[in-house]
Amino acid sequence: LILFCIIPWIYVKSLRFKLAYTSFKNLRFTFRGKIKDAFALWLKYMGPMVLIWIALTITMIYYGINENLKNKDAAAFAQGGVIPFVGLYLALISYWLFTVHRFVNALFTFIYNNIFYGGQKLSFESTSKEIFKHIFKPFYKYFFLNIAAFIGLAIVSTLLT
């Protein structure tokens, strides 16, 4: 949780350092982004994901330790622990699938609109749709194929046992 809070600070400071020591034709690059803007961006897109992840961890600990120690029965764990775990896991994956391209677009916009070359500001304009089309669409195709293969293997292994 502490790491979650300092990632925007680390990111902005590292960009400032890298660009301060980068030059082209004897003109320096600078990064003028603010830490509070990076933190607001990070919190907007990654905050709900971290909350779901914390709920998932608490659910795993509660049902994995408490129920298993009380009953020492795998069937009780499967009935009581798997359903909340799977629900939260699906919420986490769904949130990530539907917001990651928006986060990447906002992050690229934040970075490139705060870079200066000499006194000239760079600019970046894109839409989430373009980011999705060029970066994430190929990834999602293989992601869903892997999910389908995993579900197929789970069904086959269940039928064989």
Side-chain angles (χ1 to χ4, degrees), residues 3-4 9 19 24 41 50-51 56 68-69 72 75 79 81 87 98 107 113 117 120 124 127 139 144-145 149 157:
L3 183 63
F4 173 77
W9 179 81
L19 290 172
F24 179 71
L41 176 76
V50 169
L51 291 176
L56 184 63
N68 251 351
L69 289 177
K72 295 184 182 178
Q79 290 173 351
F98 293 115
L107 187 63
N113 287 340
Y117 174 63
Q120 186 68 33
F124 176 80
T127 62
F139 170 76
F144 286 120
L145 284 173
S157 68

Side-chain angles (χ1 to χ4, degrees), residues 10-56:
I10 292 170
Y11 202 73
V12 168
K13 291 294 183 179
S14 68
L15 281 170
R16 281 188 189 153
F17 179 81
K18 286 180 190 178
L19 290 172
Y21 290 100
T22 304
S23 65
F24 179 71
K25 293 188 178 183
N26 218 15
L27 286 175
R28 293 232 178 246
F29 287 93
T30 57
F31 182 75
R32 298 182 187 170
K34 293 183 171 76
I35 295 171
K36 71 175 187 172
D37 295 337
F39 189 74
L41 176 76
W42 185 255
L43 197 60
K44 177 181 177 182
Y45 290 102
M46 292 295 136
M49 193 166 168
V50 169
L51 291 176
I52 295 170
W53 179 74
I54 289 170
L56 184 63

Side-chain angles (χ1 to χ4, degrees), residues 21-144:
Y21 290 100
T22 304
S23 65
F24 179 71
K25 293 188 178 183
N26 218 15
L27 286 175
R28 293 232 178 246
F29 287 93
T30 57
F31 182 75
R32 298 182 187 170
K34 293 183 171 76
I35 295 171
K36 71 175 187 172
D37 295 337
F39 189 74
L41 176 76
W42 185 255
L43 197 60
K44 177 181 177 182
Y45 290 102
M46 292 295 136
M49 193 166 168
V50 169
L51 291 176
I52 295 170
W53 179 74
I54 289 170
L56 184 63
T57 305
I58 291 169
T59 302
M60 284 174 42
I61 291 170
Y62 177 76
Y63 284 108
I65 294 173
N66 287 345
E67 294 299 321
N68 251 351
L69 289 177
K70 287 179 189 172
N71 301 328
K72 295 184 182 178
D73 184 15
F77 173 71
Q79 290 173 351
V82 171
I83 293 172
F85 175 74
V86 169
L88 286 169
Y89 183 75
L90 289 175
L92 183 68
I93 295 297
S94 301
Y95 180 79
W96 185 80
L97 287 174
F98 293 115
T99 60
V100 72
H101 58 283
R102 291 184 191 106
F103 173 66
V104 170
N105 183 39
L107 187 63
F108 283 176
T109 303
F110 171 73
I111 292 169
Y112 291 113
N113 287 340
N114 286 303
I115 294 177
F116 288 78
Y117 174 63
Q120 186 68 33
K121 182 178 182 179
L122 300 181
S123 66
F124 176 80
E125 292 180 19
S126 177
T127 62
S128 297
K129 188 176 181 180
E130 291 172 346
I131 296 288
F132 179 80
K133 180 181 175 185
H134 296 293
I135 296 175
F136 293 104
K137 191 174 182 181
F139 170 76
Y140 284 159
K141 181 172 77 173
Y142 293 110
F143 177 78
F144 286 120

